[in-house]
Amino acid sequence: LAKTTQPISMDSYEGQEVNITCSHNNIATNDYITWYQQFPSQGPRFIIQGYKTKVTNEVASLFIPADRKSSTLSLPRVSLSDTAVYYCLVGDNFNKFYFGSGTKLNVKP
Amino acid sequence: GAVVSQHPSWVICKSGTSVKIECRSLDFQATTMFWYRQFPKQSLMLMATSNEGSKATYEQGVEKDKFLINHASLTLSTLTVTSAHPEDSSFYICSASLGGIQETQYFGPGTRLLVL
Protein backbone atom coordinates (compact mmCIF):
# COMPACT_ATOMS: atom_id res chain seq x y z
CA LEU A 1 0.00 0.00 0.00
CA ALA A 2 1.56 3.26 -1.13
CA LYS A 3 2.39 5.63 1.70
CA THR A 4 2.60 9.36 1.15
CA THR A 5 4.79 11.98 2.78
CA GLN A 6 4.00 15.68 2.75
CA PRO A 7 5.26 18.72 4.64
CA ILE A 8 3.28 19.23 7.83
CA SER A 9 2.65 22.90 7.18
CA MET A 10 3.34 25.75 4.77
CA ASP A 11 2.88 29.50 4.92
CA SER A 12 2.12 31.75 1.99
CA TYR A 13 0.78 35.20 1.20
CA GLU A 14 -2.23 36.17 -0.81
CA GLY A 15 -1.60 36.28 -4.52
CA GLN A 16 1.37 33.93 -4.46
CA GLU A 17 1.62 30.59 -6.19
CA VAL A 18 1.85 27.68 -3.77
CA ASN A 19 3.43 24.35 -4.60
CA ILE A 20 2.91 21.40 -2.26
CA THR A 21 5.01 18.33 -2.99
CA CYS A 22 4.09 14.82 -1.97
CA SER A 23 6.37 11.80 -2.13
CA HIS A 24 5.00 8.35 -2.80
CA ASN A 25 7.97 6.08 -3.45
CA ASN A 26 5.94 2.87 -3.46
CA ILE A 27 3.28 3.94 -5.93
CA ALA A 28 1.93 1.02 -7.94
CA THR A 29 1.38 0.85 -11.67
CA ASN A 30 -2.39 1.14 -11.36
CA ASP A 31 -2.38 3.91 -8.76
CA TYR A 32 -3.74 7.36 -9.47
CA ILE A 33 -2.70 10.42 -7.47
CA THR A 34 -5.51 12.43 -5.95
CA TRP A 35 -5.47 15.65 -3.95
CA TYR A 36 -8.13 16.80 -1.55
CA GLN A 37 -8.73 20.01 0.38
CA GLN A 38 -10.32 20.00 3.81
CA PHE A 39 -11.65 22.91 5.83
CA PRO A 40 -12.34 22.50 9.56
CA SER A 41 -15.48 20.50 10.31
CA GLN A 42 -16.10 19.71 6.65
CA GLY A 43 -15.57 16.66 4.49
CA PRO A 44 -12.60 16.64 2.10
CA ARG A 45 -13.22 18.28 -1.25
CA PHE A 46 -11.77 16.80 -4.44
CA ILE A 47 -9.24 19.10 -6.09
CA ILE A 48 -7.49 17.19 -8.84
CA GLN A 49 -6.42 13.74 -9.94
CA GLY A 50 -3.74 12.54 -12.30
CA TYR A 51 -1.75 9.56 -13.45
CA LYS A 52 1.29 11.06 -15.17
CA THR A 53 2.75 14.29 -16.60
CA LYS A 54 0.58 17.32 -16.01
CA VAL A 55 -3.09 17.83 -15.28
CA THR A 56 -4.79 21.20 -15.01
CA ASN A 57 -8.29 22.21 -14.05
CA GLU A 58 -9.97 25.42 -13.05
CA VAL A 59 -8.51 25.46 -9.55
CA ALA A 60 -5.11 23.76 -9.65
CA SER A 61 -2.41 21.98 -11.59
CA LEU A 62 -0.82 18.67 -10.79
CA PHE A 63 2.70 17.87 -11.92
CA ILE A 64 3.86 14.26 -11.94
CA PRO A 65 7.40 13.34 -13.03
CA ALA A 66 8.09 10.32 -15.19
CA ASP A 67 8.99 8.04 -12.28
CA ARG A 68 5.73 9.00 -10.50
CA LYS A 69 7.44 8.78 -7.12
CA SER A 70 6.32 12.27 -6.25
CA SER A 71 3.75 14.82 -7.30
CA THR A 72 3.31 18.55 -6.86
CA LEU A 73 0.03 20.35 -6.39
CA SER A 74 0.22 23.91 -7.67
CA LEU A 75 -2.30 26.50 -6.51
CA PRO A 76 -2.07 29.73 -8.52
CA ARG A 77 -2.58 33.08 -6.75
CA VAL A 78 -3.86 31.80 -3.42
CA SER A 79 -6.32 33.76 -1.34
CA LEU A 80 -7.17 33.69 2.35
CA SER A 81 -9.95 31.22 1.60
CA ASP A 82 -7.38 28.66 0.45
CA THR A 83 -6.21 28.23 4.05
CA ALA A 84 -6.94 24.55 4.64
CA VAL A 85 -5.37 21.12 4.97
CA TYR A 86 -4.35 19.49 1.70
CA TYR A 87 -4.11 15.72 1.42
CA CYS A 88 -2.27 13.72 -1.21
CA LEU A 89 -3.48 10.14 -1.71
CA VAL A 90 -2.57 7.34 -4.04
CA GLY A 91 -4.78 4.44 -4.97
CA ASP A 92 -6.30 2.63 -7.88
CA ASN A 93 -9.84 3.72 -7.03
CA PHE A 94 -10.87 0.14 -6.43
CA ASN A 95 -8.96 0.23 -3.20
CA LYS A 96 -9.09 2.23 -0.06
CA PHE A 97 -7.58 5.60 0.68
CA TYR A 98 -5.40 5.90 3.72
CA PHE A 99 -4.97 9.51 4.67
CA GLY A 100 -1.61 10.79 5.81
CA SER A 101 -1.17 13.83 7.99
CA GLY A 102 -1.73 16.28 5.14
CA THR A 103 -0.24 19.75 4.70
CA LYS A 104 -1.74 22.62 6.60
CA LEU A 105 -1.54 25.67 4.32
CA ASN A 106 -1.78 29.03 6.03
CA VAL A 107 -2.36 31.96 3.68
CA LYS A 108 -1.59 35.34 5.19
CA PRO A 109 -2.85 38.74 4.03
CA GLY B 1 -22.20 16.50 -10.07
CA ALA B 2 -20.81 13.91 -7.60
CA VAL B 3 -22.63 15.21 -4.54
CA VAL B 4 -22.71 13.21 -1.34
CA SER B 5 -24.93 14.15 1.58
CA GLN B 6 -24.96 13.07 5.20
CA HIS B 7 -27.71 13.23 7.77
CA PRO B 8 -27.72 14.42 10.45
CA SER B 9 -24.97 17.02 10.31
CA TRP B 10 -24.58 16.88 14.05
CA VAL B 11 -26.05 14.84 16.88
CA ILE B 12 -25.85 14.86 20.65
CA CYS B 13 -26.87 11.75 22.52
CA LYS B 14 -26.66 10.16 25.93
CA SER B 15 -24.19 7.41 26.68
CA GLY B 16 -25.64 3.99 25.92
CA THR B 17 -27.93 5.05 23.09
CA SER B 18 -27.53 4.17 19.42
CA VAL B 19 -27.10 6.70 16.66
CA LYS B 20 -27.69 6.20 12.94
CA ILE B 21 -25.93 8.29 10.30
CA GLU B 22 -27.07 8.25 6.69
CA CYS B 23 -24.86 8.76 3.66
CA ARG B 24 -26.43 9.35 0.25
CA SER B 25 -24.98 9.84 -3.20
CA LEU B 26 -27.40 12.35 -4.71
CA ASP B 27 -26.56 12.38 -8.40
CA PHE B 28 -24.77 9.13 -9.04
CA GLN B 29 -24.92 5.49 -8.11
CA ALA B 30 -22.11 4.50 -5.80
CA THR B 31 -20.69 1.04 -6.15
CA THR B 32 -18.66 1.51 -3.02
CA MET B 33 -19.02 3.69 0.04
CA PHE B 34 -16.47 4.32 2.73
CA TRP B 35 -16.76 5.44 6.34
CA TYR B 36 -14.10 7.49 8.08
CA ARG B 37 -13.65 8.94 11.54
CA GLN B 38 -11.70 12.07 12.35
CA PHE B 39 -10.68 13.24 15.80
CA PRO B 40 -9.78 16.91 16.41
CA LYS B 41 -6.57 18.02 14.71
CA GLN B 42 -6.02 14.55 13.29
CA SER B 43 -6.29 13.02 9.87
CA LEU B 44 -9.13 10.88 8.60
CA MET B 45 -9.06 7.24 9.66
CA LEU B 46 -10.75 4.69 7.45
CA MET B 47 -13.22 2.59 9.41
CA ALA B 48 -14.86 0.38 6.82
CA THR B 49 -15.65 -0.17 3.17
CA SER B 50 -19.10 -1.20 2.03
CA ASN B 51 -20.41 -2.45 -1.27
CA GLU B 52 -24.09 -2.48 -2.12
CA GLY B 53 -25.74 -5.72 -1.07
CA SER B 54 -22.77 -7.22 0.71
CA LYS B 55 -21.24 -7.12 4.15
CA ALA B 56 -18.92 -4.29 5.01
CA THR B 57 -15.18 -4.82 5.33
CA TYR B 58 -13.86 -3.32 8.54
CA GLU B 59 -10.38 -1.99 9.16
CA GLN B 60 -8.27 -3.56 11.86
CA GLY B 61 -9.27 -2.35 15.29
CA VAL B 62 -12.78 -1.28 14.29
CA GLU B 63 -15.49 -3.28 16.06
CA LYS B 64 -18.06 -4.45 13.54
CA ASP B 65 -20.68 -5.07 16.23
CA LYS B 66 -20.33 -1.54 17.51
CA PHE B 67 -20.27 0.22 14.15
CA LEU B 68 -23.01 -1.39 12.08
CA ILE B 69 -22.93 -0.59 8.39
CA ASN B 70 -25.78 -1.24 5.97
CA HIS B 71 -25.43 -0.50 2.28
CA ALA B 72 -28.97 -1.19 1.16
CA SER B 73 -28.89 0.50 -2.23
CA LEU B 74 -26.50 2.11 -4.69
CA THR B 75 -27.28 5.52 -3.24
CA LEU B 76 -27.56 4.89 0.51
CA SER B 77 -25.29 3.59 3.23
CA THR B 78 -25.91 3.88 6.95
CA LEU B 79 -23.57 3.75 9.92
CA THR B 80 -25.08 2.93 13.30
CA VAL B 81 -23.00 3.58 16.38
CA THR B 82 -24.45 1.17 18.91
CA SER B 83 -24.33 1.79 22.66
CA ALA B 84 -22.40 4.98 22.13
CA HIS B 85 -19.91 6.14 24.75
CA PRO B 86 -18.10 9.47 25.15
CA GLU B 87 -14.99 8.07 23.46
CA ASP B 88 -17.08 7.56 20.31
CA SER B 89 -17.50 11.32 20.05
CA SER B 90 -15.91 12.25 16.75
CA PHE B 91 -16.47 13.59 13.25
CA TYR B 92 -17.80 10.84 10.99
CA ILE B 93 -17.38 11.26 7.25
CA CYS B 94 -18.58 9.05 4.43
CA SER B 95 -17.44 8.94 0.83
CA ALA B 96 -18.82 7.34 -2.28
CA SER B 97 -17.24 6.09 -5.45
CA LEU B 98 -18.44 4.78 -8.77
CA GLY B 99 -15.63 2.29 -8.45
CA GLY B 100 -14.24 2.55 -11.93
CA ILE B 101 -10.51 2.87 -12.48
CA GLN B 102 -10.74 6.59 -13.13
CA GLU B 103 -13.40 7.39 -10.56
CA THR B 104 -12.30 8.85 -7.28
CA GLN B 105 -14.04 9.17 -3.94
CA TYR B 106 -16.40 12.04 -3.22
CA PHE B 107 -16.91 12.94 0.40
CA GLY B 108 -19.94 13.94 2.39
CA PRO B 109 -19.98 17.01 4.66
CA GLY B 110 -19.52 14.93 7.80
CA THR B 111 -21.53 14.28 10.96
CA ARG B 112 -20.41 15.59 14.32
CA LEU B 113 -21.29 13.14 17.11
CA LEU B 114 -21.13 14.16 20.75
CA VAL B 115 -21.88 11.51 23.35
CA LEU B 116 -22.57 12.82 26.83
Side-chain angles (χ1 to χ4, degrees), chain A residues 36 38 41 93-94 96 98 100, chain B residues 38 43 59 99 101 104-105:
Chain A
Y36 289 88
Q38 187 183 29
S41 297
N93 295 328
F94 288 107
K96 316 159 190 178
Y98 291 98
Chain B
Q38 186 174 33
S43 185
E59 293 299 301
I101 193 69
T104 191
Q105 293 182 34

Side-chain angles (χ1 to χ4, degrees), chain B residues 44-65:
Chain B
L44 285 80
M45 294 170 45
L46 180 65
M47 299 176 67
T49 305
S50 72
N51 293 291
E52 184 261 342
S54 61
K55 290 184 178 180
T57 302
Y58 291 81
E59 293 299 301
Q60 191 172 10
V62 178
E63 300 177 56
K64 62 180 182 180
D65 294 330

Side-chain angles (χ1 to χ4, degrees), chain B residues 19-86:
Chain B
V19 175
K20 179 185 283 189
I21 303 170
E22 291 187 350
C23 176
R24 294 181 185 272
S25 56
L26 298 184
D27 53 0
F28 67 102
Q29 292 187 323
T31 303
T32 307
M33 287 185 171
F34 304 83
W35 287 94
Y36 297 81
R37 180 168 53 181
Q38 186 174 33
F39 292 107
K41 299 190 184 302
Q42 294 187 22
S43 185
L44 285 80
M45 294 170 45
L46 180 65
M47 299 176 67
T49 305
S50 72
N51 293 291
E52 184 261 342
S54 61
K55 290 184 178 180
T57 302
Y58 291 81
E59 293 299 301
Q60 191 172 10
V62 178
E63 300 177 56
K64 62 180 182 180
D65 294 330
K66 181 167 183 64
F67 299 98
L68 301 178
I69 292 173
N70 186 304
H71 194 155
S73 74
L74 286 172
T75 59
L76 173 65
S77 177
T78 60
L79 168 69
T80 301
V81 183
T82 62
S83 186
H85 288 97

Side-chain angles (χ1 to χ4, degrees), chain A residues 28-98:
Chain A
T29 303
N30 291 335
D31 285 344
Y32 279 72
I33 300 156
T34 311
W35 285 80
Y36 289 88
Q37 174 194 57
Q38 187 183 29
F39 298 111
S41 297
Q42 294 186 27
R45 172 178 159 254
F46 172 81
I47 301 175
I48 199 166
Q49 182 184 64
Y51 184 80
K52 62 180 179 180
T53 63
K54 177 184 175 182
V55 180
T56 297
N57 62 21
E58 61 275 10
V59 298
S61 294
L62 178 60
F63 299 92
I64 305 168
D67 66 5
R68 304 199 327 122
K69 292 183 183 298
S70 67
S71 60
T72 299
L73 174 72
S74 181
L75 304 172
R77 299 180 299 281
V78 294
S79 63
L80 295 176
S81 62
D82 292 317
T83 293
V85 178
Y86 292 82
Y87 292 98
C88 157
L89 297 104
V90 296
D92 66 6
N93 295 328
F94 288 107
N95 289 336
K96 316 159 190 178
F97 278 160
Y98 291 98

Side-chain angles (χ1 to χ4, degrees), chain A residues 12-26:
Chain A
S12 181
Y13 291 92
E14 280 192 294
Q16 287 186 333
E17 177 184 80
V18 171
N19 296 310
I20 306 175
T21 297
C22 176
S23 65
H24 27 80
N25 292 319
N26 296 326

